[in-house]
Amino acid sequence: MRSCDVLIVGGGPAGSTAARALRRAGADVLVLDRERFPRLKLCAGWITPEVVRELEMDPDSYPHRFLTFPRLRVHYRALSLPVPCVQHSIRRFEWDAWLLERSGAPLEQHNVREIVPDGDGYRIDGLYRCRYLIGAGGTRCPVYRALFRELNPRAHELQIVTLEHEIEYDWQDPDCHLWFCEHELPGYSWYVPKEGGWLNVGIGAIAARMKSDGLGIKEHWARLAERLSGGLTRGAHYDPAGYSYYLRGNVEVVRRDNAFITGDAAGLATRDLGEGIGPAIRSGLRAAAAIADGAPYRLDDVTGASVGSIARSMLTRAAHTLGAPGRSRRAPGGGPVDGLRHRDQ
């Protein structure tokens, strides 16, 4: 039986962030994931300057696709508004694997099925034993199912369903576009370009409200595809896939003895834009601090609102734009404020 100090179930951003912090603290860490990395991950791949900073990530030395948006374009019914700010996009296929490799933690491909308390630790499938256990396996995380589901039942009214597709496409518009409430959609749709000729388009909405409105997500997708084919993505062909997750609800219990849940396993996505990456990173860091330093593990303030990040970015960009002439202007986390970082791949 393989033994370790900390076993992390899930190698996504929450798991790899916790693994890196714990390895730095000298812990023996093992990551289990049912997939082999790099692996396909459905996600728009939009990350905030806060995420870049919290990860201590240098965009200039990041070896994969990293695009900086000088603005967002927000569409609401008949209105279209350019929002000058700094946000970024990555490909999760590349980024997740890079974060995990950077953590220095070993990864074993394993689909966790049984978790059994064992003294002050846990046994997993009769193959692994650990003192501390971190659930970072997303909405269907085995740690959540085994130890937290009855303590933190999912709130049906906060379930988000999505359809999206990431394709190679020679996009011409470098802005990130967001459409809100089109055809009474209880959510929004997006166009997120990525460096090196990749593009993610998708749609996300609150499942219960969409069902009550009588128009399914496939019908909303068809309308989005029609809109895009008329301008932004002429000639593109889509084969969308879907997944679901939960917006931030009342997460009462996030630690049980020496077990923790993080990210989407805890249901931490922001209530305004459904952003899950930032809360995943912050919860991973806090789980690591709780184990390494004995810090309290609380997640009541890790979510916040995604529009707050956009507002802060607008203010930062405005301050840099009004700064002293000749000074290099950088976004929070090191990205360029003006224009795009765009390399040939």
Side-chain angles (χ1 to χ4, degrees):
M1 183 179 294
R2 169 72 186 275
S3 295
C4 59
D5 297 330
V6 186
L7 190 143
I8 301 174
V9 179
S16 60
T17 299
R20 182 171 185 250
L22 287 163
R23 290 270 297 179
R24 283 177 157 183
D28 176 21
V29 180
L30 175 65
V31 178
L32 300 182
D33 199 290
R34 64 181 180 179
E35 303 287 348
R36 185 183 299 275
F37 283 68
R39 51 88 167 99
L40 177 65
K41 173 63 178 178
L42 290 175
C43 179
W46 169 10
I47 62 173
T48 66
E50 285 89 348
V51 164
V52 173
R53 183 175 63 250
E54 289 160 355
L55 288 174
E56 299 175 328
M57 181 181 175
D58 177 13
D60 291 332
S61 62
Y62 176 63
H64 303 293
R65 294 167 181 84
F66 184 95
L67 190 65
T68 296
F69 307 122
R71 68 190 65 83
L72 302 176
R73 292 199 177 270
V74 177
H75 310 272
Y76 180 78
R77 302 188 189 278
L79 299 176
S80 182
L81 178 67
V83 179
C85 64
V86 177
Q87 302 288 300
H88 312 288
S89 70
I90 45 82
R91 290 197 69 211
R92 291 289 300 272
F93 178 82
E94 301 165 338
W95 193 62
D96 286 16
W98 176 79
L99 287 174
L100 190 55
E101 181 180 7
R102 187 184 71 155
S103 76
L107 168 70
E108 291 192 13
Q109 187 177 6
H110 180 79
N111 187 15
V112 173
R113 300 183 183 278
E114 182 183 51
I115 298 171
V116 179
D118 182 15
D120 64 348
Y122 302 89
R123 284 185 290 111
I124 291 85
D125 294 333
L127 299 173
Y128 307 93
R129 191 189 186 284
C130 61
R131 182 178 179 190
Y132 295 99
L133 178 65
I134 296 178
T139 301
R140 298 180 180 178
C141 180
V143 178
Y144 168 79
R145 292 201 310 264
L147 302 176
F148 291 89
R149 179 160 50 188
E150 293 182 1
L151 300 171
N152 288 332
R154 304 291 194 198
H156 176 68
E157 64 274 14
L158 296 178
Q159 183 182 21
I160 295 291
V161 293
T162 73
L163 274 180
E164 64 178 83
H165 196 193
E166 188 156 301
I167 58 173
E168 285 191 87
Y169 185 78
D170 184 21
W171 47 263
Q172 301 302 308
D173 189 329
D175 292 342
C176 174
H177 290 255
L178 306 174
W179 291 271
F180 291 89
C181 300
E182 288 212 330
H183 308 292
E184 307 305 320
L185 175 72
Y188 68 98
S189 50
W190 62 83
Y191 160 103
V192 179
K194 305 190 178 190
E195 189 180 28
W198 284 84
L199 175 70
N200 186 288
V201 297
I203 189 166
I206 297 175
R209 288 178 54 190
M210 189 164 49
K211 183 177 180 180
S212 67
D213 291 342
L215 195 60
I217 195 167
K218 291 184 178 179
E219 288 79 11
H220 282 292
W221 171 270
R223 292 182 175 183
L224 172 64
E226 181 179 6
R227 166 187 280 279
L228 293 174
S229 67
L232 286 171
T233 63
R234 295 181 188 276
H237 299 283
Y238 301 112
D239 183 19
Y243 61 101
S244 70
Y245 64 102
Y246 289 82
L247 300 179
R248 176 62 186 253
N250 294 321
V251 183
E252 298 294 339
V253 182
V254 292
R255 177 175 184 173
R256 182 177 179 181
D257 299 324
N258 284 343
F260 304 77
I261 47 173
T262 62
D264 282 344
L268 298 179
T270 61
R271 294 285 287 268
D272 54 355
L273 294 181
E275 180 216 348
I277 293 178
I281 298 297
R282 283 169 221 125
S283 60
L285 289 171
R286 292 198 181 182
I291 294 170
D293 304 326
Y297 186 58
R298 297 175 57 187
L299 301 180
D300 49 308
D301 62 341
V302 303
T303 296
S306 297
V307 293
S309 171
I310 295 171
R312 288 188 294 273
S313 178
M314 292 174 66
L315 292 173
T316 301
R317 184 176 181 191
H320 280 278
T321 301
L322 297 173
R327 297 184 68 181
S328 176
R329 296 181 295 193
R330 311 292 290 178
V337 169
D338 297 315
L340 306 172
R341 196 198 100 181
H342 208 126
R343 303 186 316 257
D344 293 330
Q345 295 284 327

